[in-house]
């Protein structure tokens, strides 16, 4: 490779290995922390994500960042993202990388155990209901934490076809506090 890029083959391999390792570690941390970890960030959560990005970027670019290390790192990130996107077509990989949607509330009320496991608070559900224009919990058909970390609200009046919950993890009704 030309010297003006500031990278040789050994350094390029190191960048690729560091980038893949950091990317997979980051995905694992997001998977462990739950679907809500990167959605609707508060100020301190945004600061944490920015810091994580800085750590990830600095680690992948090695000791002396150059144009070459940056190009290799970005190319590797996009390649790994594309590869994982293709691998998600395989059910076992998808189950490893993605969490199932979770039923947080239905016509019977909040499902506190599911909320606890999903790390979603009653305040977050109330906020989402208000944003959906719901003024009375009896208007709720379902509240679902989606794979993306977003919370979906379906009104009871819209008609509740159970097939819409085919991919949703729903435990037995739980109304405990």
């Amino acid at each position: 490779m030309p010297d003006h890029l500031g990278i040789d083959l050994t350094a390029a391999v190191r960048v690729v290995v560091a980038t893949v390792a950091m990317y997979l570690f980051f995905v694992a941390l997001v998977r462990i922390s739950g679907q809500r970890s990167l959605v609707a960030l508060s100020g301190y959560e945004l600061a944490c994500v920015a810091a994580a990005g800085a750590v990830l970027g600095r680690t992948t670019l090695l000791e002396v960042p150059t144009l070459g290390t940056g190009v290799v790192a970005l190319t590797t990130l996009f390649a790994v993202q594309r590869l994982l996107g293709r691998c998600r077509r395989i059910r076992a990989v998808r189950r490893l990388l993605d969490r199932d949607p979770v039923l947080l509330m239905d016509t019977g009320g909040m499902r506190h155990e599911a909320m606890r496991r999903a790390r979603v608070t009653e305040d977050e559900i109330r906020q989402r209901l208000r944003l959906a224009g719901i003024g009375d919990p009896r208007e709720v058909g379902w509240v679902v934490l989606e794979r993306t970390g977003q919370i979906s609200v379906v009104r009871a009046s819209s008609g509740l076809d159970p097939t819409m919950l085919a991919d949703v993890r729903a435990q037995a009704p739980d109304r405990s506090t």
Side-chain angles (χ1 to χ4, degrees):
M1 279 196 169
D3 283 337
H4 68 276
L5 289 179
I7 191 166
D8 59 25
L9 183 60
T10 303
V13 170
R14 289 176 44 216
V15 169
V16 169
V17 170
T19 302
V20 169
M22 288 301 293
Y23 182 88
L24 294 176
F25 185 69
F26 186 77
V27 168
L29 286 176
V30 169
R31 174 72 162 93
I32 290 166
S33 66
Q35 287 130 298
R36 299 285 293 161
S37 60
L38 296 177
V39 175
L41 301 176
S42 66
Y44 70 90
E45 290 167 330
L46 182 60
C48 182
V49 169
V55 168
L56 186 122
R58 184 68 184 115
T59 302
T60 61
L61 295 177
L62 304 179
E63 189 175 326
V64 180
T66 65
L67 176 61
T69 56
V71 167
V72 171
L74 278 176
T75 303
T76 302
L77 281 172
F78 277 86
V80 171
Q81 178 68 22
R82 186 172 175 98
L83 178 64
L84 284 180
R86 288 181 181 259
C87 289
R88 277 192 166 101
R89 295 176 186 163
I90 302 167
R91 183 174 162 82
V93 174
R94 188 173 54 250
R95 289 186 59 154
L96 178 67
L97 295 176
D98 298 331
R99 292 179 179 254
D100 290 335
V102 178
L103 185 62
L104 302 173
M105 185 175 179
D106 59 17
T107 55
M110 292 187 188
R111 294 173 164 251
H112 291 89
E113 181 59 25
M115 291 166 52
R116 185 189 63 75
R117 287 186 182 171
R119 297 183 185 103
V120 175
T121 66
E122 287 186 28
D123 286 346
E124 288 174 301
I125 290 180
R126 281 191 292 270
Q127 177 183 2
R128 189 63 195 111
L129 294 178
R130 289 189 302 268
L131 287 169
I134 292 187
D136 185 335
R138 292 175 293 199
E139 296 177 54
V140 173
W142 300 315
V143 175
V144 177
L145 176 63
E146 302 293 352
R147 282 185 177 87
T148 62
Q150 295 177 316
I151 295 176
S152 297
V153 177
V154 178
R155 291 177 180 274
S157 63
S158 68
L160 302 176
D161 181 351
T163 61
M164 293 299 294
L165 294 179
D167 63 331
V168 175
R169 185 173 9 125
Q171 294 109 3
D174 170 24
R175 311 291 178 234
S176 64
T177 53

